[in-house]
Amino acid sequence: IYVVTSGKGGMLLSDRSGNCQFIEMVPGNLYYVPGNFAHRTLNIGSEEFAFLCIWPPDIIHDYESIAKNGFPKLIMSSQTGYTVMDNPRFSLA
């Protein structure tokens, strides 16, 4: 569970099949990451982005899959703020 305390951010969520979605994160909202989903948070605003993250002590992380395959999407800075795009290095192999 993520609770944003300041700034404007975003979260990329991806399941094991590579289906990916981007969610904007703003103060006052709670964000839940389901099990078996990879996720990344990032600052998409002009001020500091801060959040509180809470997770159970027995959670299992699979960093090896991300290190091997990459993340399905990239967030790139653009003239309009940011752009969500496919990661050309991502593979499910």
Side-chain angles (χ1 to χ4, degrees):
I1 297 174
Y2 285 76
V3 181
V4 178
T5 58
S6 66
K8 183 177 179 183
M11 180 182 292
L12 276 172
L13 289 164
S14 177
D15 66 16
R16 292 191 179 272
S17 299
N19 300 312
C20 197
Q21 68 178 20
F22 180 74
I23 301 167
E24 285 196 10
M25 301 172 73
V26 295
N29 288 347
L30 297 173
Y31 302 90
Y32 174 72
V33 178
N36 293 313
F37 273 75
H39 60 285
R40 295 281 190 268
T41 55
L42 62 148
N43 187 345
I44 59 171
S46 57
E47 61 185 65
E48 181 179 84
F49 172 54
F51 55 85
L52 170 68
C53 182
I54 305 162
W55 64 89
D58 59 347
I59 196 166
I60 298 170
H61 297 282
D62 178 12
Y63 295 114
E64 185 177 333
S65 293
I66 297 299
K68 178 182 174 188
N69 303 325
F71 210 86
K73 300 285 184 183
L74 300 172
I75 307 297
M76 303 299 289
S77 180
S78 71
Q79 292 178 344
T80 59
Y82 66 91
T83 301
V84 180
M85 58 186 284
D86 290 337
N87 181 353
R89 296 182 181 167
F90 174 73
S91 77
L92 288 174

